[in-house]
Amino acid sequence: MPDFLLQTVFNASYAASYMALIAVGLVLIFGVMGVVNFAHGELYMAGAYAIVFFYAWNGLPFFVAVALGLVFVGCLGILMELTLFRPLRTNPLGGLIASIGFLLILQTVAVVGFGLRNQNVPRVSQGGITVGGAVLTYERLAVIVVTIVLLAALWLFLRRSKFGWALRACAQDREAAALQGISINQTARYAMFIGAALAGVAGAMTAPLVAPSPYMGHSVIVTAFIIIIVGGVGSLEGAVVAAILYAFVHTFVTTFYDGVIANIVGLLLMLAVLVVKPQGLFGVRERA
């Protein structure tokens, strides 16, 4: 039994890692741009298919393919900002609808380019760390380590760099930031590139484990929204904590009961948090 519990903890840690990358990217985009990006799950899908193309089909080293996927999906984010969100900056509902349209476009491109079937990505490595009867494979360990490194780098970037301060200023008050000479267009590009790239890395790192499909972003975006609501809309720290909380609850319930029940428990968790703290765990209560 202890080995079974430890194995579940390993599985939950892996799930929390890639969920945190996706949720933090979504929060960053919303905080800086005020846009609810429904295509964020498809950016995760695009990162997974980048691994299919660069690693599985063309034989590039896995982490080189991950880096290329990061750049590719980040550039997709910039394209979205330039063509969709910037023209609709004063129309949040229009931006939301445009992101749904972009979602459908990315799905169609994936179907045309890769087909409807799940793609099998070759294993990167064999074996893992064994503790008793529990095993943390090297591939899952890599997801955890990459997540920690990227989130730490993002934290340092936001708090120690000039551009990071600009992003935080825009997230707090775009009009005041513009009056201080901060370029809203430039910070929006940075936010979209970073947010999209984080989702792309999550898809790229998990591609050997999940068998990419054109519709893999559906469940991911729903989970990401639950996480950012629980953590507090606009809070990066809240997104990380909520990702860990949600992943552990969902993984343990799935393991001991059922996946459908786990989804219901996740929604009940969100409702319970909103009843106690409507602004989320780390959200700031609006002044009356």
Side-chain angles (χ1 to χ4, degrees), residues 8 11 52 64 76 81 98-101 108 115 117 160 166 175 182 184 189 192 207 258 267 283-284 288:
T8 307
N11 296 340
V52 173
V64 173
L76 274 182
E81 193 277 327
S99 72
I100 295 174
T108 302
R117 293 183 179 180
R160 302 295 176 86
E175 293 183 1
I182 295 173
I184 302 301
R189 285 196 301 272
M192 278 302 303
D258 180 73
L267 292 172
V284 178

Side-chain angles (χ1 to χ4, degrees), residues 1 5 30 43 45 56 63 72 83 88 107 110 113 145 154 165 181 185 187-189 213 273-274 280:
M1 190 64 175
L5 289 175
F30 177 80
L43 296 176
M45 177 265 291
F63 284 103
F72 169 68
T83 60
L88 296 169
Q107 286 182 352
V145 172
L154 178 63
W165 295 338
N185 290 338
T187 53
R189 285 196 301 272
S213 73
V273 170
L274 292 180

Side-chain angles (χ1 to χ4, degrees), residues 11-285:
N11 296 340
S13 300
Y14 155 73
S17 297
Y18 76 83
M19 286 181 186
L21 284 179
I22 298 168
V24 165
L26 188 60
V27 167
L28 184 64
I29 292 170
F30 177 80
V32 173
M33 301 175 59
V35 171
V36 179
N37 181 18
F38 267 92
H40 202 68
E42 272 52 48
L43 296 176
Y44 164 79
M45 177 265 291
Y49 275 115
I51 292 299
V52 173
F53 180 79
F54 291 118
Y55 171 66
W57 289 5
N58 290 287
L60 293 179
F62 178 74
F63 284 103
V64 173
V66 171
L68 291 174
L70 181 153
V71 174
F72 169 68
V73 180
C75 289
L76 274 182
I78 292 177
L79 177 64
M80 292 179 66
E81 193 277 327
L82 290 173
T83 60
L84 301 180
F85 298 141
R86 185 179 300 181
L88 296 169
R89 184 171 292 164
T90 58
N91 184 2
L93 179 59
L96 184 151
I97 294 172
S99 72
I100 295 174
F102 198 78
L103 174 160
L104 298 174
I105 291 172
L106 287 179
Q107 286 182 352
T108 302
V109 171
V111 170
V112 172
F114 298 92
L116 284 170
R117 293 183 179 180
N118 290 22
Q119 296 289 327
N120 292 320
V121 178
R123 296 288 300 272
V124 180
S125 63
Q126 301 294 329
I129 298 174
T130 302
V131 180
V135 178
L136 177 61
T137 65
Y138 290 131
E139 290 169 324
R140 294 191 173 204
L141 177 62
V143 174
I144 296 171
V145 172
V146 167
T147 296
I148 293 172
V149 170
L150 288 179
L151 293 182
L154 178 63
W155 187 89
L156 290 173
F157 171 77
L158 291 175
R159 285 162 175 75
R160 302 295 176 86
S161 71
K162 178 180 177 181
F163 291 120
W165 295 338
L167 286 173
R168 292 170 63 198
C170 285
Q172 293 173 6
D173 191 326
R174 283 191 293 277
E175 293 183 1
L179 291 174
Q180 295 298 318
I182 295 173
S183 171
I184 302 301
N185 290 338
Q186 187 179 50
T187 53
R189 285 196 301 272
Y190 272 100
M192 278 302 303
F193 181 88
I194 296 172
L198 290 176
V201 169
M205 292 298 300
T206 58
L209 301 166
V210 300
S213 73
Y215 305 107
M216 63 189 292
H218 284 340
S219 60
V220 165
I221 192 63
V222 172
T223 300
F225 279 126
I226 292 174
I227 288 170
I228 65 174
I229 290 171
V230 170
V233 177
S235 172
L236 298 178
E237 294 84 358
V240 175
V241 172
I244 296 171
L245 175 63
Y246 179 88
F248 271 76
V249 170
H250 192 275
T251 302
F252 270 85
V253 174
T254 300
T255 301
F256 289 98
Y257 293 98
D258 180 73
V260 175
I261 295 176
N263 291 333
I264 295 173
V265 170
L267 292 172
L268 291 176
L269 173 65
M270 179 183 69
L271 291 175
V273 170
L274 292 180
V275 168
V276 178
K277 285 195 73 176
Q279 69 274 24
L281 295 176
F282 287 75
V284 178
R285 185 184 297 273

